[in-house]
Amino acid sequence: DVKVTQSSRYLVKRTGEKVFLECVQDMDHENMFWYRQDPGLGLRLIYFSYDVKMKEKGDIPEGYSVSREKKERFSLILESASTNQTSMYLCASSVTGGPTYEQYFGPGTRLTVT
Amino acid sequence: ELKVEQNPLFLSMQEGKNYTIYCNYSTTSDRLYWYRQDPGKSLESLFVLLSNGAVKQEGRLMASLDTKARLSTLHITAAVHDLSATYFCAVVLSNTGNQFYFGTGTSLTVIP
């Protein structure tokens, strides 16, 4: 089974802190994604990566950066956390191509910024 | 910009009843996914629909795709409490490969 893990289930940080969210997948997937989930807004893509050291902006990249130094690991960085970044963050991974490729999701990190 | 709209956003239904969740999207897509999310949990894949007229069924859930109407439906038959969850549809644009666009989700509560 594909396994996507995230470093924390719950995180509380103060405004202005630098925050790292880590995601690891064990299926050698090329693609990795970071989403945030807010009530009534569904999932919105922050950044994605289709290869090591490659990254692409999603729909809402402002205030975030990412790092992918190894194929299995994709980190989301909040350079200076703000209260409007309080949200559920979901990481996902997928292969490239194939007839029924899908995204596999991690358990999520609920981040609260106070 | 691709828009994916689901309705209803909230659905409360009695056990044993039937209902349909709708997913509309604004531009051509070559595949559509349905996911389920239980409270406090992550998303779990339910169905992948790859072509016009595709129909998939699992238990009391049946999903269909009409690419000409840019519409997918998730039909619930004789609902049971265990189906209470949030359901998301997602589409992939033909020219973006792996980027998924998610709907807003439908929160389903099945009442005994």
Side-chain angles (χ1 to χ4, degrees):
Chain A
D1 280 350
V2 175
K3 194 165 184 183
V4 181
T5 58
Q6 295 182 228
S7 50
S8 304
R9 293 299 304 273
Y10 300 94
L11 210 51
V12 180
K13 295 292 182 180
R14 294 193 182 275
T15 300
E17 280 193 81
K18 190 168 186 176
V19 181
F20 294 86
L21 303 182
E22 303 284 338
C23 175
V24 177
Q25 49 93 5
D26 66 357
M27 285 302 292
D28 202 36
H29 284 172
E30 296 88 0
N31 306 308
M32 297 188 74
F33 306 82
W34 275 107
Y35 295 90
R36 65 176 281 176
Q37 182 180 9
D38 300 289
L41 297 177
L43 276 71
R44 292 180 292 167
L45 182 64
I46 304 171
Y47 269 97
F48 64 101
S49 168
Y50 52 87
D51 201 353
V52 175
K53 296 192 185 295
M54 305 300 287
K55 60 185 179 184
E56 294 284 343
K57 292 181 180 179
D59 298 318
I60 52 164
E62 296 79 19
Y64 303 94
S65 62
V66 290
S67 172
R68 194 166 181 201
E69 296 296 319
K70 294 185 178 181
K71 190 174 185 180
E72 68 270 20
R73 187 179 299 268
F74 192 34
S75 302
L76 179 69
I77 303 155
L78 287 65
E79 295 289 343
S80 177
S82 63
T83 54
N84 62 13
Q85 293 178 309
T86 292
S87 187
M88 170 71 90
Y89 290 88
L90 293 169
C91 174
S93 71
S94 76
V95 297
T96 296
T100 58
Y101 69 86
E102 60 182 274
Q103 292 193 359
Y104 296 89
F105 283 84
T109 296
R110 184 164 294 281
L111 172 67
T112 302
V113 182
T114 61
Chain B
E1 179 186 340
L2 174 62
K3 291 191 183 299
V4 183
E5 295 182 343
Q6 282 181 243
N7 68 82
L9 294 184
F10 299 95
L11 176 56
S12 181
M13 57 190 298
Q14 287 189 311
E15 278 191 333
K17 298 292 187 184
N18 304 332
Y19 208 85
T20 301
I21 297 170
Y22 297 88
C23 174
N24 291 88
Y25 53 97
S26 60
T27 191
T28 302
S29 172
D30 57 8
R31 59 189 64 218
L32 187 138
Y33 299 77
W34 283 97
Y35 283 86
R36 168 183 172 142
Q37 185 181 37
D38 291 301
K41 301 285 181 66
S42 192
L43 276 73
E44 172 190 351
S45 176
L46 291 173
F47 302 110
V48 180
L49 302 167
L50 299 177
S51 60
N52 188 43
V55 177
K56 295 275 184 77
Q57 182 162 6
E58 172 108 14
R60 300 174 188 273
L61 299 177
M62 183 173 71
S64 65
L65 179 62
D66 181 342
T67 57
K68 294 179 181 176
R70 296 177 185 163
L71 170 69
S72 179
T73 61
L74 181 66
H75 187 72
I76 302 153
T77 302
V80 294
H81 181 69
D82 285 352
L83 290 179
S84 297
T86 300
Y87 294 86
F88 290 93
C89 63
V91 299
V92 177
L93 283 180
S94 303
N95 61 352
T96 66
N98 299 297
Q99 187 170 345
F100 283 40
Y101 293 82
F102 283 84
T104 50
T106 296
S107 177
L108 171 65
T109 303
V110 180
I111 303 166

